[in-house]
Amino acid sequence: MAKRPNKKQKRPLAAGVSRPAKPARRRPGKDIQLAPRTVRRTAVLVGVLAPLLIIGLLAIATNPDYQGLCTILAVVVLMVAVVALMLIRSSGWVVWPAVFLGVLLLVLPTGALRAQLISHRGVDTRVVVTSAHSAKDKTGKVSWTCAIRHEDGRPLPHGSIGGLGCSRSSVGTTMTVLADPEDWAPPATHDEDLSFRGGVVWVAAAVAVLWAALTFGTARRALRGRGGR
C-alpha cells in the first residue's frame, strides 16, 4: 500500500530557484534603535526639563486649591519621562532606579516648599478652633484635624491645622499660628519643625541631580553600545 504524501513536507524548489530568507526576529531586551541625535535630545528633555517641570508643578501644589490637579499633572510628566527613558535604553536595570527617584521627586517637594514658604513669610495670627475631627490609621493611632478662623470671626483660607494643639478639648480655645499673609500656603502651628521640613528642599534638589545623572549616563551607554559619537 502506497504511503500518503506528508502535507507538512516542503516541496523541492525548481532548479536555479533559491528559497527566500526568513525575516530576522528581534531579540528580546534589545535597545530600540533611535538616531543618536534623537537620543541626545530625548536625554536633555528627560534629564533636565522633566524634573524642573515636576518640581514646578509641586511648587504650585503648595496651595491646597491646586494640589490635586498639579499632583496629577506631575505624575503624568513622570510617567512620560520614564517611558522616554526606556526608549533611550529599553534593556538593563535603568527603569528601577528611575521609578525610585521619580517617586521621591513626587513625594518630597510639596511639603518642603510649603514649610519654607510659611517659615519665611508666616506671621503670628490669633485664631479660634471651631471644630475638631479625628481619624484612625491602620495601626490604631488617632490623629486630629482642627478647623480654625480668625479671632474676630473672619474666615481663614485653608483654615485647618493638626498637631499637638489640636484635639476634641481644644474646640473654642484661642491659639497662635503662623499664617501666610498672601493666603497661599496653609497655616502651621508653632510645634511643627518647619526648619527640618524645609531642609528637605535640598534633598529634593539632590534627587533631581541624580535623575539627570541617571538619564545622561543611560544615553551615553546607549550611544556607546551602538558606536554613536
Side-chain angles (χ1 to χ4, degrees):
M1 185 176 180
K3 295 183 179 180
R4 294 184 178 181
N6 188 358
K7 295 182 179 180
K8 295 183 180 180
Q9 186 176 1
K10 296 181 180 180
R11 296 181 179 179
L13 297 177
V17 179
S18 60
R19 191 178 300 276
K22 295 182 178 180
R25 295 183 180 180
R26 183 172 177 266
R27 296 180 180 179
K30 189 178 180 181
D31 291 339
I32 298 175
Q33 298 296 320
L34 298 178
R37 181 178 298 179
T38 303
V39 171
R40 296 187 183 98
R41 291 178 178 177
T42 304
V44 172
L45 292 177
V46 174
V48 178
L49 184 60
L52 290 178
L53 189 56
I54 290 174
I55 294 176
L57 286 169
L58 296 179
I60 300 175
T62 54
N63 187 327
D65 294 337
Y66 306 106
Q67 184 171 359
L69 175 61
C70 289
T71 302
I72 292 174
L73 292 176
V75 172
V76 173
V77 172
L78 176 61
M79 294 173 62
V80 173
V82 171
V83 172
L85 192 59
M86 293 176 63
L87 290 177
I88 295 175
R89 187 173 178 84
S90 57
S91 62
W93 45 266
V94 65
V95 64
W96 299 114
V99 171
F100 176 72
L101 294 175
V103 170
L104 290 180
L105 276 178
L106 292 177
V107 172
L108 297 178
T110 300
L113 293 172
R114 186 178 291 170
Q116 284 278 8
L117 186 64
I118 199 67
S119 63
H120 280 80
R121 70 180 189 183
V123 295
D124 288 339
T125 305
R126 298 290 290 176
V127 297
V128 178
V129 179
T130 58
S131 62
H133 306 279
S134 63
K136 184 180 296 186
D137 59 15
K138 296 180 179 180
T139 62
K141 183 180 179 181
V142 178
S143 59
W144 289 86
T145 303
C146 292
I148 57 176
R149 58 177 171 81
H150 284 283
E151 194 175 19
D152 58 5
R154 292 181 293 113
L156 186 68
H158 321 303
S160 64
I161 58 171
L164 300 177
C166 175
S167 63
R168 187 189 304 275
S169 60
S170 61
V171 176
T173 60
T174 303
M175 65 174 62
T176 302
V177 299
L178 281 174
D180 182 8
E182 301 296 331
D183 296 330
W184 180 270
T189 59
H190 281 281
D191 62 343
E192 295 186 41
D193 192 354
L194 296 178
S195 60
F196 175 77
R197 291 174 55 193
V200 180
V201 170
W202 299 106
V203 179
V207 171
V209 172
L210 289 175
W211 171 275
L214 175 68
T215 302
F216 291 117
T218 301
R220 188 177 296 110
R221 287 173 61 89
L223 292 174
R224 186 182 302 168
R226 287 176 287 173
R229 296 182 180 178

Short mmCIF file of all heavy atoms in Angstrom, two decimals, residues 48-83:
data_model
loop_
_atom_site.label_atom_id
_atom_site.label_comp_id
_atom_site.label_asym_id
_atom_site.label_seq_id
_atom_site.Cartn_x
_atom_site.Cartn_y
_atom_site.Cartn_z
N VAL A 48 16.60 67.09 32.17
CA VAL A 48 16.57 68.47 32.67
C VAL A 48 15.13 69.00 32.77
O VAL A 48 14.70 69.49 33.82
CB VAL A 48 17.41 69.40 31.76
CG1 VAL A 48 17.33 70.84 32.25
CG2 VAL A 48 18.85 68.93 31.73
N LEU A 49 14.38 68.91 31.67
CA LEU A 49 13.06 69.52 31.65
C LEU A 49 12.08 68.79 32.56
O LEU A 49 11.27 69.42 33.26
CB LEU A 49 12.53 69.55 30.21
CG LEU A 49 11.19 70.24 30.02
CD1 LEU A 49 11.28 71.70 30.46
CD2 LEU A 49 10.73 70.16 28.57
N ALA A 50 12.12 67.45 32.56
CA ALA A 50 11.14 66.69 33.35
C ALA A 50 11.23 66.99 34.84
O ALA A 50 10.19 67.32 35.46
CB ALA A 50 11.31 65.19 33.09
N PRO A 51 12.41 66.93 35.51
CA PRO A 51 12.42 67.25 36.94
C PRO A 51 12.07 68.70 37.24
O PRO A 51 11.42 68.98 38.25
CB PRO A 51 13.87 66.93 37.36
CG PRO A 51 14.65 66.91 36.11
CD PRO A 51 13.72 66.46 35.04
N LEU A 52 12.48 69.64 36.36
CA LEU A 52 12.11 71.03 36.57
C LEU A 52 10.60 71.21 36.49
O LEU A 52 10.00 71.96 37.28
CB LEU A 52 12.81 71.93 35.55
CG LEU A 52 14.32 72.10 35.71
CD1 LEU A 52 14.88 72.98 34.60
CD2 LEU A 52 14.65 72.69 37.07
N LEU A 53 9.97 70.53 35.54
CA LEU A 53 8.52 70.63 35.38
C LEU A 53 7.80 70.01 36.57
O LEU A 53 6.81 70.54 37.07
CB LEU A 53 8.10 69.97 34.07
CG LEU A 53 6.65 70.18 33.63
CD1 LEU A 53 6.33 71.66 33.53
CD2 LEU A 53 6.40 69.50 32.29
N ILE A 54 8.30 68.85 37.03
CA ILE A 54 7.67 68.19 38.18
C ILE A 54 7.77 69.06 39.43
O ILE A 54 6.78 69.29 40.15
CB ILE A 54 8.33 66.82 38.42
CG1 ILE A 54 7.95 65.85 37.29
CG2 ILE A 54 7.90 66.24 39.76
CD1 ILE A 54 8.68 64.53 37.36
N ILE A 55 8.97 69.59 39.70
CA ILE A 55 9.14 70.43 40.89
C ILE A 55 8.33 71.72 40.77
O ILE A 55 7.76 72.22 41.75
CB ILE A 55 10.64 70.73 41.11
CG1 ILE A 55 11.38 69.43 41.47
CG2 ILE A 55 10.84 71.76 42.20
CD1 ILE A 55 12.87 69.59 41.61
N GLY A 56 8.25 72.28 39.56
CA GLY A 56 7.44 73.48 39.37
C GLY A 56 5.96 73.24 39.64
O GLY A 56 5.29 74.05 40.28
N LEU A 57 5.46 72.11 39.15
CA LEU A 57 4.05 71.78 39.41
C LEU A 57 3.80 71.55 40.89
O LEU A 57 2.77 71.99 41.44
CB LEU A 57 3.67 70.53 38.62
CG LEU A 57 3.49 70.70 37.11
CD1 LEU A 57 3.38 69.35 36.42
CD2 LEU A 57 2.26 71.55 36.81
N LEU A 58 4.74 70.89 41.57
CA LEU A 58 4.56 70.64 43.00
C LEU A 58 4.77 71.91 43.83
O LEU A 58 4.27 71.99 44.96
CB LEU A 58 5.51 69.54 43.45
CG LEU A 58 5.25 68.18 42.81
CD1 LEU A 58 6.26 67.15 43.29
CD2 LEU A 58 3.83 67.70 43.10
N ALA A 59 5.49 72.89 43.28
CA ALA A 59 5.58 74.19 43.95
C ALA A 59 4.22 74.89 43.92
O ALA A 59 3.81 75.51 44.91
CB ALA A 59 6.65 75.05 43.29
N ILE A 60 3.53 74.80 42.79
CA ILE A 60 2.18 75.36 42.72
C ILE A 60 1.24 74.59 43.65
O ILE A 60 0.30 75.15 44.22
CB ILE A 60 1.67 75.34 41.28
CG1 ILE A 60 2.59 76.15 40.37
CG2 ILE A 60 0.24 75.86 41.17
CD1 ILE A 60 2.23 76.09 38.90
N ALA A 61 1.52 73.29 43.84
CA ALA A 61 0.68 72.45 44.70
C ALA A 61 0.80 72.81 46.18
O ALA A 61 0.08 72.24 47.00
CB ALA A 61 1.02 70.98 44.49
N THR A 62 1.72 73.73 46.55
CA THR A 62 1.76 74.17 47.94
C THR A 62 0.48 74.89 48.34
O THR A 62 0.18 74.99 49.52
CB THR A 62 2.96 75.11 48.16
OG1 THR A 62 2.92 76.19 47.22
CG2 THR A 62 4.27 74.35 48.00
N ASN A 63 -0.25 75.38 47.36
CA ASN A 63 -1.60 75.91 47.61
C ASN A 63 -2.59 74.75 47.53
O ASN A 63 -2.70 74.10 46.49
CB ASN A 63 -1.96 76.97 46.57
CG ASN A 63 -3.27 77.67 46.89
OD1 ASN A 63 -4.20 77.09 47.43
ND2 ASN A 63 -3.35 78.95 46.55
N PRO A 64 -3.30 74.44 48.61
CA PRO A 64 -4.22 73.29 48.59
C PRO A 64 -5.28 73.36 47.50
O PRO A 64 -5.81 72.32 47.09
CB PRO A 64 -4.86 73.32 49.98
CG PRO A 64 -3.85 74.02 50.84
CD PRO A 64 -3.24 75.06 49.95
N ASP A 65 -5.60 74.57 47.01
CA ASP A 65 -6.60 74.69 45.95
C ASP A 65 -6.14 74.04 44.65
O ASP A 65 -6.96 73.62 43.83
CB ASP A 65 -6.93 76.16 45.70
CG ASP A 65 -7.61 76.81 46.88
OD1 ASP A 65 -8.22 76.09 47.69
OD2 ASP A 65 -7.53 78.05 47.01
N TYR A 66 -4.83 73.97 44.44
CA TYR A 66 -4.28 73.42 43.19
C TYR A 66 -3.53 72.12 43.41
O TYR A 66 -2.96 71.57 42.46
CB TYR A 66 -3.32 74.44 42.55
CG TYR A 66 -3.93 75.80 42.34
CD1 TYR A 66 -3.56 76.86 43.15
CD2 TYR A 66 -4.86 76.03 41.34
CE1 TYR A 66 -4.11 78.12 42.97
CE2 TYR A 66 -5.41 77.27 41.15
CZ TYR A 66 -5.03 78.33 41.97
OH TYR A 66 -5.58 79.57 41.79
N GLN A 67 -3.52 71.62 44.63
CA GLN A 67 -2.69 70.46 44.95
C GLN A 67 -3.10 69.22 44.17
O GLN A 67 -2.25 68.52 43.61
CB GLN A 67 -2.74 70.16 46.45
CG GLN A 67 -1.81 69.03 46.88
CD GLN A 67 -1.71 68.90 48.37
OE1 GLN A 67 -2.32 69.67 49.13
NE2 GLN A 67 -0.96 67.92 48.84
N GLY A 68 -4.39 68.94 44.09
CA GLY A 68 -4.84 67.73 43.40
C GLY A 68 -4.49 67.74 41.91
O GLY A 68 -3.90 66.78 41.39
N LEU A 69 -4.82 68.83 41.23
CA LEU A 69 -4.57 68.91 39.79
C LEU A 69 -3.09 68.88 39.48
O LEU A 69 -2.64 68.15 38.59
CB LEU A 69 -5.20 70.19 39.24
CG LEU A 69 -4.94 70.50 37.76
CD1 LEU A 69 -5.50 69.38 36.88
CD2 LEU A 69 -5.53 71.85 37.38
N CYS A 70 -2.31 69.67 40.22
CA CYS A 70 -0.87 69.73 39.94
C CYS A 70 -0.18 68.40 40.26
O CYS A 70 0.77 68.02 39.56
CB CYS A 70 -0.24 70.86 40.75
SG CYS A 70 -0.69 72.51 40.18
N THR A 71 -0.62 67.70 41.28
CA THR A 71 -0.03 66.41 41.59
C THR A 71 -0.31 65.40 40.48
O THR A 71 0.58 64.63 40.09
CB THR A 71 -0.56 65.88 42.93
OG1 THR A 71 -0.28 66.84 43.97
CG2 THR A 71 0.08 64.56 43.30
N ILE A 72 -1.53 65.42 39.95
CA ILE A 72 -1.86 64.52 38.85
C ILE A 72 -1.01 64.83 37.62
O ILE A 72 -0.47 63.93 36.95
CB ILE A 72 -3.36 64.62 38.51
CG1 ILE A 72 -4.21 64.05 39.66
CG2 ILE A 72 -3.68 63.88 37.21
CD1 ILE A 72 -5.69 64.25 39.48
N LEU A 73 -0.86 66.12 37.31
CA LEU A 73 -0.03 66.50 36.16
C LEU A 73 1.43 66.09 36.37
O LEU A 73 2.11 65.66 35.43
CB LEU A 73 -0.13 68.01 35.94
CG LEU A 73 -1.47 68.54 35.45
CD1 LEU A 73 -1.45 70.05 35.35
CD2 LEU A 73 -1.86 67.91 34.11
N ALA A 74 1.92 66.21 37.61
CA ALA A 74 3.30 65.79 37.89
C ALA A 74 3.48 64.29 37.70
O ALA A 74 4.51 63.84 37.19
CB ALA A 74 3.68 66.20 39.32
N VAL A 75 2.47 63.51 38.09
CA VAL A 75 2.53 62.06 37.88
C VAL A 75 2.56 61.75 36.38
O VAL A 75 3.32 60.87 35.93
CB VAL A 75 1.33 61.37 38.56
CG1 VAL A 75 1.27 59.89 38.18
CG2 VAL A 75 1.43 61.51 40.08
N VAL A 76 1.75 62.47 35.60
CA VAL A 76 1.74 62.25 34.14
C VAL A 76 3.11 62.57 33.54
O VAL A 76 3.63 61.83 32.70
CB VAL A 76 0.63 63.09 33.49
CG1 VAL A 76 0.72 63.01 31.97
CG2 VAL A 76 -0.75 62.61 33.94
N VAL A 77 3.70 63.68 33.97
CA VAL A 77 5.04 64.05 33.47
C VAL A 77 6.05 62.97 33.81
O VAL A 77 6.90 62.60 32.98
CB VAL A 77 5.47 65.41 34.05
CG1 VAL A 77 6.92 65.71 33.69
CG2 VAL A 77 4.56 66.51 33.53
N LEU A 78 5.98 62.44 35.03
CA LEU A 78 6.91 61.38 35.43
C LEU A 78 6.72 60.13 34.58
O LEU A 78 7.71 59.51 34.14
CB LEU A 78 6.72 61.05 36.90
CG LEU A 78 7.56 59.89 37.44
CD1 LEU A 78 9.04 60.18 37.29
CD2 LEU A 78 7.21 59.59 38.88
N MET A 79 5.49 59.74 34.32
CA MET A 79 5.24 58.55 33.50
C MET A 79 5.79 58.73 32.09
O MET A 79 6.42 57.82 31.54
CB MET A 79 3.74 58.26 33.47
CG MET A 79 3.15 57.84 34.81
SD MET A 79 1.34 57.69 34.78
CE MET A 79 1.14 56.39 33.57
N VAL A 80 5.58 59.91 31.51
CA VAL A 80 6.10 60.17 30.16
C VAL A 80 7.62 60.14 30.18
O VAL A 80 8.26 59.60 29.27
CB VAL A 80 5.58 61.52 29.65
CG1 VAL A 80 6.26 61.89 28.33
CG2 VAL A 80 4.07 61.48 29.46
N ALA A 81 8.23 60.69 31.24
CA ALA A 81 9.70 60.71 31.33
C ALA A 81 10.26 59.30 31.45
O ALA A 81 11.29 58.98 30.84
CB ALA A 81 10.13 61.56 32.53
N VAL A 82 9.61 58.44 32.24
CA VAL A 82 10.10 57.06 32.39
C VAL A 82 9.98 56.31 31.07
O VAL A 82 10.89 55.56 30.68
CB VAL A 82 9.32 56.34 33.50
CG1 VAL A 82 9.65 54.85 33.52
CG2 VAL A 82 9.64 56.95 34.86
N VAL A 83 8.87 56.51 30.34
CA VAL A 83 8.71 55.86 29.03
C VAL A 83 9.79 56.34 28.06
O VAL A 83 10.39 55.55 27.32
CB VAL A 83 7.30 56.12 28.47
CG1 VAL A 83 7.19 55.64 27.03
CG2 VAL A 83 6.25 55.42 29.33
#
